[in-house]
Amino acid sequence: MINEKLPKMWYGGDYNPEQWGPEEWKEDHRMFKLAGIDVLTINVFSWALNQPGENTYDFAWLDETMDRLHAEGFGVVLATSTAAHPAWMAKRHPDVTRVDFYGRKRTFGGRHNSCPNSPTYRKYSARMASKLAERYKDHPALLLWHVSNEYGGYCYCDQCAEAFRVWLQERYGTLDAVNKAWNTRFWGHTFYDWDEIVLPNGLSEEGEGNVSAFQGISLDYRRFMSDSLLDCYKIERDAIREFSKEVPITTNLMGTFPQLNYFDWAKEMDIISWDNYPSLTTPVSETAMVHDLMRGLKGGDPFMLMEQTPSQQNWQAYNSLKRPGVMRLWSYQAVARGADTVMFFQMRRSAGACEKYHGAVIEHAGHENTRVFREVAELGEELAKLGDTLLDARSDAKVAICYDWENRWAIELSSGPTVELQYANEVHKYYDALFKQGIQADMVGVEADFSRYDVVIAPVMYMVKSGFAQKAEAFTAAGGTFVTTFFSGIVNENDLVTLGGYPGELRKLLGIWAEEIDALPAGQYNQIVMKKPVGSLKGSYNCELLFDLIHAEGAEVLAEYGSDFYKGMPALTVNAFGKGKAYYVASSACPEFLQPFLKDLCADQGIVPLIEQIPAGVEAVRRVKEGRSFLFLLNHNAENASVNVGEGQRRELLSGQTVQGMTELPGRGVMILEEV
């Protein structure tokens, strides 16, 4: 569990008492208790309050807040307040503000506004973290340290340019190695001195929307920026650790946020926490996939749902309300997929500025007689009843889907073959095909231990990093089923093409080679035509986006293209490799193909759906703990759904009832079933 001082599912969220006064505090405490809230995150954006001057610190308000919350029975997630620097810092130390993509120097304002390589920012943020840790390390309310908030945003200042050159020297050693990795003889870009290297932004190599003339330079700058921001986290973490040895430390991540390589970040975090803000139209399988990705960052360890809104966001184009029951439903979706907390942003709606219309447990009305508060209180009562039952439960999935941030960067920086290719979307297609059939999958990085799984799927593995091909071969040879797709095996980790024919290092495993890659505009299709029925696959299925023109060299051709000049060329192949099989899907296939394809492939490995004939809109997930198995059923429909839970008796944890066979699941309802 996160902290033994509170051995239950944590319930609470971000609280900003500094924006209010004693009358509101008293009412807040009363209402928090009514809602079953027991954990509050404080001090997230209070740097200016804590440090009103360069050498002046004032923690009186925080002392009083910590003591008051403890006296009222609340635990505290204590943030370091460093997510936005004070105005005096920007005025006195211009190095602290960022330079944007267009080369413009920012002034004070907004948040995420600090240069990650600013000596000033690093000095004062570390000092703040240190002072907080020294002061509150033994405070009885303290449950968790929260460093900064939602790291992100790149900088292109001179400090970052100097730091980038140092980073390159540490990564490559010599300029010759840099020139080779970046292929700088193209367009006469050879560098003869380190200070000739400039940052890839709108003044040099890049245009808007991930357009780059030199992908190797741009790719490395993304790695560098991710590392730079991670260094800022580590500086504060280490400052805390000097005084607070045992209390866990985290920072809140943001799902598939494109700027940071979260697998690298996870190695430095005690527990993963993340902020979940889907829109009204976000597919529920996409949210599920991101929960699974957050769980996968630390090898399947439970994570924290650090933020979600009780009702609506303030920053999306259409800030729709969560319909009645949806907040509870989505909270349990997080729990089902590995969350050991349910927490909100925010506790009380701000009276002013850009988040005053962001949802809160306590609305502007200021009392408990609201729909949102009633739903929050009902969920709090349920979580209290669950206690520690689900804490530390794990997934037992036998299917893994690979996700890699650096591969995403390389794909989206690519100068072709289509602007329509979005890595996260293609990964989601495979996840969704399993999700809709009730087949559980883990989201893993390319460094994961594949031996835990029977099926590994690596969609659009464009970048094959050192050792990945050998690991995939070993997994397959030992009896595993490996699946990859079009536009895979093209480049190495420096975005240099692996010569000799696509899919490069994966060619031996897959038993094919690709001669060309065709791209069609959105709305135009080819067809995957089965040569003969394979399992439940038969007939013809649409495919789109990209089309690898491949030749079999040992692989069996299961399907061919149905039209255009490459009609009759392979579109789906399987290669026997050792005791296992390796599949190649040569185009972006439709759901009607992917669902039976993946179901049959899983069935061959003895992997079956958690629920047979699962109704549309119903989600099935399993967590296991100490020999106990918990099956979550979540109905994302507004209408009731009939679900066959099997003939064995199961106890439903939320109601205490026993169910078996065909069971009615209410609209937006949740069941957590344990075998009796």
Side-chain angles (χ1 to χ4, degrees):
M1 60 186 66
I2 304 167
N3 190 315
E4 293 181 355
K5 290 166 71 173
L6 188 60
K8 65 172 287 291
M9 192 77 59
W10 292 7
Y11 195 47
D14 280 47
Y15 181 43
N16 300 295
E18 68 273 23
Q19 297 179 18
W20 307 98
E23 288 303 312
E24 289 87 2
W25 298 339
K26 183 178 179 181
E27 189 67 356
D28 291 343
H29 300 159
R30 181 186 72 83
M31 292 178 66
F32 293 162
K33 291 176 182 178
L34 280 178
I37 283 166
D38 44 38
V39 176
L40 299 167
T41 301
I42 64 172
N43 197 45
V44 177
F45 289 104
S46 306
W47 199 346
L49 191 60
N50 294 335
Q51 191 178 4
E54 188 144 6
N55 297 300
T56 306
Y57 293 85
D58 183 0
F59 296 111
W61 81 274
L62 192 53
D63 290 345
E64 195 276 335
T65 300
M66 292 286 287
D67 292 344
R68 185 180 72 251
L69 293 179
H70 175 63
E72 294 287 343
F74 300 109
V76 169
V77 175
L78 185 57
T80 58
S81 77
T82 54
H85 57 248
W88 62 259
M89 192 180 296
K91 182 175 74 172
R92 297 182 189 178
H93 301 282
D95 70 280
V96 80
T97 57
R98 292 177 178 173
V99 170
D100 72 10
F101 178 79
Y102 304 99
R104 300 173 299 198
K105 179 71 170 175
R106 287 184 57 88
T107 58
F108 176 76
R111 68 178 203 183
H112 299 308
N113 51 2
S114 307
C115 167
N117 290 291
S118 160
T120 299
Y121 176 76
R122 291 189 172 197
K123 178 178 76 173
Y124 284 112
S125 62
R127 188 176 295 175
M128 176 58 69
S130 180
K131 287 182 177 293
L132 290 167
E134 184 176 19
R135 193 176 193 92
Y136 300 110
K137 64 181 184 297
D138 296 320
H139 198 285
L142 180 64
L143 296 175
L144 179 77
W145 291 103
H146 183 318
V147 174
S148 191
N149 185 75
E150 293 184 336
Y151 279 98
Y154 290 175
C155 180
Y156 298 87
C157 70
D158 290 342
Q159 295 166 139
C160 288
E162 292 177 9
F164 183 46
R165 295 171 193 133
V166 171
W167 183 91
L168 291 170
Q169 290 177 50
E170 293 174 349
R171 180 177 177 87
Y172 293 104
T174 67
L175 265 176
D176 285 344
V178 172
N179 283 315
K180 182 177 180 181
W182 291 354
N183 196 39
T184 57
R185 292 193 179 185
F186 178 78
W187 281 3
H189 269 48
T190 302
F191 297 108
Y192 294 99
D193 203 323
W194 289 103
D195 64 9
E196 293 171 359
I197 297 174
V198 298
L199 303 186
N201 63 2
L203 299 177
S204 58
E205 303 295 356
E206 290 195 33
E208 293 183 355
N210 285 323
V211 174
S212 177
F214 269 80
Q215 289 81 32
I217 298 173
S218 296
L219 177 61
D220 270 343
Y221 200 67
R222 282 151 179 74
R223 289 173 171 140
F224 162 71
M225 267 292 139
S226 181
D227 286 352
S228 295
L229 287 158
L230 178 55
D231 283 343
C232 292
Y233 167 81
K234 289 160 61 177
I235 287 167
E236 291 193 45
R237 178 203 63 188
D238 292 348
I240 291 169
R241 274 289 171 256
E242 288 186 22
F243 298 99
S244 181
K245 305 296 185 184
E246 303 298 331
V247 177
I249 303 172
T250 192
T251 188
N252 46 340
L253 309 181
M254 295 176 285
T256 57
F257 180 66
Q259 294 184 3
L260 306 179
N261 183 350
Y262 283 158
F263 280 106
D264 283 348
W265 281 65
K267 297 171 185 175
E268 307 296 338
M269 298 169 62
D270 292 332
I271 186 169
I272 299 300
S273 65
W274 87 284
D275 300 345
N276 180 37
Y277 290 110
S279 72
L280 186 68
T281 58
T282 301
V284 293
S285 63
E286 183 178 321
T287 306
M289 181 185 82
V290 182
H291 282 310
D292 286 352
L293 179 59
M294 295 297 96
R295 187 184 70 243
L297 293 179
K298 288 187 79 69
D301 287 356
F303 59 88
M304 296 180 67
L305 177 61
M306 184 66 83
E307 291 184 23
Q308 65 171 345
T309 178
S311 56
Q312 66 189 147
Q313 284 82 235
N314 71 290
W315 45 267
Q316 294 179 345
Y318 305 97
N319 293 301
S320 307
L321 292 171
K322 287 182 176 176
R323 273 42 189 170
V326 168
M327 181 278 293
R328 173 181 181 265
L329 175 66
W330 289 2
S331 297
Y332 278 117
Q333 182 186 45
V335 173
R337 297 195 172 274
D340 276 357
T341 70
V342 175
M343 301 176 72
F344 302 105
F345 181 88
Q346 52 193 328
M347 290 294 101
R348 179 185 277 272
R349 278 204 194 215
S350 300
C354 67
E355 289 178 341
K356 64 181 178 291
Y357 298 125
H358 194 291
V361 172
I362 303 175
E363 301 281 3
H364 284 147
H367 55 68
E368 66 266 36
N369 299 311
T370 66
R371 174 184 69 88
V372 170
F373 187 87
R374 285 192 294 272
E375 291 194 25
V376 170
E378 289 166 3
L379 178 57
E381 185 177 358
E382 287 183 346
L383 293 177
K385 289 179 180 177
L386 286 173
D388 66 352
T389 302
L390 300 170
L391 294 188
D392 292 331
R394 300 296 205 269
S395 164
D396 63 349
K398 291 300 181 183
V399 181
I401 301 178
C402 290
Y403 190 97
D404 182 53
W405 265 271
E406 295 188 0
N407 184 52
R408 175 179 180 174
W409 293 336
I411 287 171
E412 295 180 0
L413 284 166
S414 177
S415 55
T418 173
V419 297
E420 300 290 340
L421 177 57
Q422 297 293 319
Y423 174 64
N425 291 348
E426 292 303 313
V427 174
H428 176 246
K429 286 182 180 180
Y430 281 78
Y431 184 94
D432 182 70
L434 294 167
F435 175 94
K436 283 190 167 66
Q437 300 175 99
I439 299 174
Q440 197 154 306
D442 286 347
M443 298 292 296
V444 303
V446 295
E447 297 178 0
D449 177 9
F450 289 173
S451 67
R452 296 169 51 189
Y453 302 99
D454 297 323
V455 177
V456 171
I457 306 170
V460 200
M461 194 50 62
Y462 168 74
M463 175 188 288
V464 175
K465 295 179 178 177
S466 178
F468 178 82
Q470 292 75 22
K471 185 162 69 169
E473 288 177 1
F475 164 77
T476 309
T481 298
F482 180 78
V483 183
T484 191
T485 74
F486 66 97
F487 209 48
S488 290
I490 309 293
V491 300
N492 67 8
E493 58 198 45
N494 294 319
D495 202 39
L496 293 176
V497 172
T498 301
L499 302 178
Y502 317 138
E505 291 186 56
L506 299 176
R507 184 170 171 178
K508 175 183 173 184
L509 171 61
L510 297 166
I512 58 146
W513 72 279
E515 182 178 357
E516 298 180 89
I517 303 171
D518 191 22
L520 293 179
Q524 295 191 26
Y525 303 93
N526 206 305
Q527 302 79 40
I528 298 174
V529 181
M530 303 305 299
K531 292 184 68 177
K532 61 180 180 180
V534 178
S536 55
L537 285 172
K538 57 183 178 181
S540 177
Y541 304 87
N542 278 347
C543 57
E544 61 182 345
L545 197 67
L546 290 180
F547 312 84
D548 284 4
L549 277 57
I550 64 176
H551 303 273
E553 47 183 15
E556 179 185 358
V557 178
L558 302 178
E560 300 170 340
Y561 287 116
S563 60
D564 216 319
F565 75 94
Y566 41 93
K567 177 180 179 180
M569 292 189 73
L572 173 68
T573 61
V574 60
N575 190 45
F577 194 89
K579 298 178 181 178
K581 298 177 181 178
Y583 289 84
Y584 193 78
V585 185
S587 182
S588 184
C590 64
E592 292 76 15
F593 169 86
L594 287 177
Q595 289 182 26
F597 169 62
L598 293 180
K599 186 175 182 179
D600 290 347
L601 183 146
C602 288
D604 287 345
Q605 287 281 16
I607 302 167
V608 298
L610 295 173
I611 294 289
E612 282 294 341
Q613 298 180 332
I614 189 167
V618 174
E619 177 177 358
V621 196
R622 182 167 58 209
R623 290 181 75 175
V624 295
K625 174 184 176 180
E626 298 172 350
R628 301 171 69 185
S629 175
F630 304 99
L631 177 66
F632 290 75
L633 297 176
L634 304 103
N635 185 5
H636 294 277
N637 303 297
E639 304 78 25
N640 291 3
S642 295
V643 182
N644 189 346
V645 301
E647 293 309 310
Q649 287 194 340
R650 297 174 185 261
R651 183 172 64 92
E652 204 287 299
L653 298 188
L654 300 176
S655 67
Q657 297 178 347
T658 299
V659 299
Q660 65 185 124
M662 293 302 299
T663 302
E664 196 76 1
L665 185 57
R668 298 191 176 119
V670 176
M671 287 185 176
I672 308 174
L673 304 177
E674 182 181 13
E675 291 184 3
V676 177

